[in-house]
Amino acid sequence: MSFIFTTDFFFSIFRIATPILLATMAAVIGEKGGISNIGLEGIMMMSALFGSLTAYWTGSWFIGVLVAVAVGLLEALLMGFFAFKLKTDIILTGTAINMIGSGGTLFLVKVITNATEGKALASTTGLITKNLQIPVWNIPLIKDIPVIGQVISGHSVMTYISFVLVWLTWVLLYRTSLGLNIRSVGENPDAASSVGVSVLKIRYITIGITGILAGLGGAYMSMYYAMGWSQDMVAGRGFIALAAQAMGGGEPVGCMFAALIFGFAQALGIKVSAMGVDSNLVAPIPYIVTIISLVIFAISQRNSEKRRHSAQALKEASK
């Protein structure tokens, strides 16, 4: 236990949870707008590729992040066009985006870099963002505090931005007219339309925001976490974000803690693997935690519904 639960371990939780948290906030906003964006995984993959390539070509991590965000936005709007305009099933559209993110990115890398062999492909993409990763920030004063400074300070700028975005997501949804419209369209689009809200416009805005947040997650993956692009590097984080959104009840703060739980699970898997445990035994840990967490959430929701119905029945019986 003393080997596992160190300051480095808790530091890694925040590091690992960052892309999950960004994608989770995307899932929260999508859910509030009545949109199940299961294409987060594919959007993150494509954003990771173009963000890292742009950083390599321009020599600027900032421009790389901007391009990653733009790619995420364009993919999300394309997904919205097929779902809202052409009336295709949004789940199937998201599945197609995920397939493009997995196979399409590999094809693009081979075309762009002219790498055809596995080793050549790995070496080419591995150098894409070397020395161009998103910078870290050592927080003044806090960095000098024992233990706490080692855990909280020294993370990527994107990590701190992701936690700020939790608060901004809450502000957007509950303190702005746009957030009210997003929630109205998500709950009852016909009622929203009857009071003059453009349902189609709000849906495009909603799915566009999810694409921006997923694009940030993709940029973090290739421009800091892995310092380069590799096939299927997102490794299910988009789907884990959907689970975190469900477990957190669709609320920004609750979903943030759910994302941290999944970050803890992945960090634990990496730490246990470092102890020499067979990787085949360690790899399922994050997914087992996902399943267990969702089961616990479902049971708690069911019990809550039972209590609510019981209270309602007693109230009606007392009348």
Side-chain angles (χ1 to χ4, degrees):
M1 297 295 288
S2 61
F3 176 78
I4 293 176
F5 297 110
T6 62
T7 53
D8 288 340
F9 172 75
F10 289 104
F11 180 92
S12 67
I13 292 175
F14 291 99
R15 178 175 177 268
I16 293 170
T18 297
I20 299 174
L21 181 57
L22 289 166
T24 300
M25 290 303 105
V28 167
I29 293 175
E31 186 271 338
K32 291 296 184 184
I35 299 171
S36 298
N37 188 353
I38 70 166
L40 295 174
E41 182 88 1
I43 293 174
M44 290 174 73
M45 277 296 299
M46 193 67 75
S47 297
L49 173 61
F50 280 97
S52 58
L53 283 174
T54 302
Y56 176 70
W57 288 332
T58 63
S60 170
W61 67 268
F62 184 72
I63 296 177
V65 171
L66 290 180
V67 170
V69 169
V71 169
L73 174 60
L74 289 175
E75 273 201 283
L77 292 177
L78 179 64
M79 185 177 171
F81 174 76
F82 278 98
F84 308 145
K85 188 69 174 179
L86 302 183
K87 305 300 181 183
T88 59
D89 186 276
I90 195 166
I91 301 298
L92 296 178
T93 305
T95 302
I97 291 292
N98 289 334
M99 294 175 68
I100 292 172
S102 179
T105 50
L106 182 61
F107 170 76
L108 288 173
V109 167
K110 290 183 177 181
V111 170
I112 294 171
T113 64
N114 295 319
T116 56
E117 298 296 330
K119 291 183 179 179
L121 179 61
S123 63
T124 301
T125 55
L127 296 174
I128 286 177
T129 56
K130 188 176 181 180
N131 301 322
L132 292 173
Q133 70 268 26
I134 299 170
V136 300
W137 182 36
N138 291 303
I139 307 174
L141 300 180
I142 292 180
K143 67 179 181 180
D144 299 321
I145 301 175
V147 181
I148 295 176
Q150 293 175 285
V151 173
I152 297 178
S153 181
H155 289 281
S156 163
V157 171
M158 193 66 71
T159 297
Y160 301 112
I161 290 175
S162 68
F163 284 95
V164 172
L165 285 172
V166 174
W167 175 73
L168 291 178
T169 299
W170 182 86
V171 171
L172 169 66
L173 291 174
Y174 296 106
R175 289 294 183 269
T176 66
S177 58
L178 175 59
L180 176 61
N181 289 338
I182 289 174
R183 290 185 289 118
S184 299
V185 169
E187 293 173 6
N188 194 327
D190 292 331
S193 180
S194 67
V195 295
V197 176
S198 174
V199 174
L200 184 61
K201 177 182 176 181
I202 294 300
R203 283 177 173 169
Y204 271 117
I205 291 174
T206 301
I207 201 168
I209 294 173
T210 67
I212 290 172
L213 292 172
L216 288 173
Y220 177 87
M221 286 299 301
S222 65
M223 297 172 62
Y224 178 78
Y225 187 83
M227 292 181 61
W229 184 90
S230 60
Q231 187 180 11
D232 293 328
M233 65 182 300
V234 177
R237 288 174 174 82
F239 298 112
I240 291 175
L242 295 174
Q245 179 272 320
M247 195 175 77
E251 298 300 327
V253 176
C255 293
M256 177 191 72
F257 286 112
L260 287 173
I261 290 174
F262 293 123
F264 171 84
Q266 291 196 353
L268 181 61
I270 294 171
K271 196 71 172 180
V272 172
S273 178
M275 296 173 63
V277 179
D278 187 349
S279 60
N280 292 321
L281 297 176
V282 173
I285 288 179
Y287 306 103
I288 292 173
V289 171
T290 301
I291 295 171
I292 294 174
S293 301
L294 288 176
V295 169
I296 293 173
F297 172 75
I299 293 173
S300 64
Q301 285 289 95
R302 185 181 65 179
N303 292 337
S304 178
E305 284 294 315
K306 285 183 178 179
R307 288 193 296 269
R308 188 176 66 83
H309 287 307
S310 299
Q312 185 68 26
L314 288 173
K315 183 178 180 181
E316 292 178 356
S318 64
K319 290 181 179 179

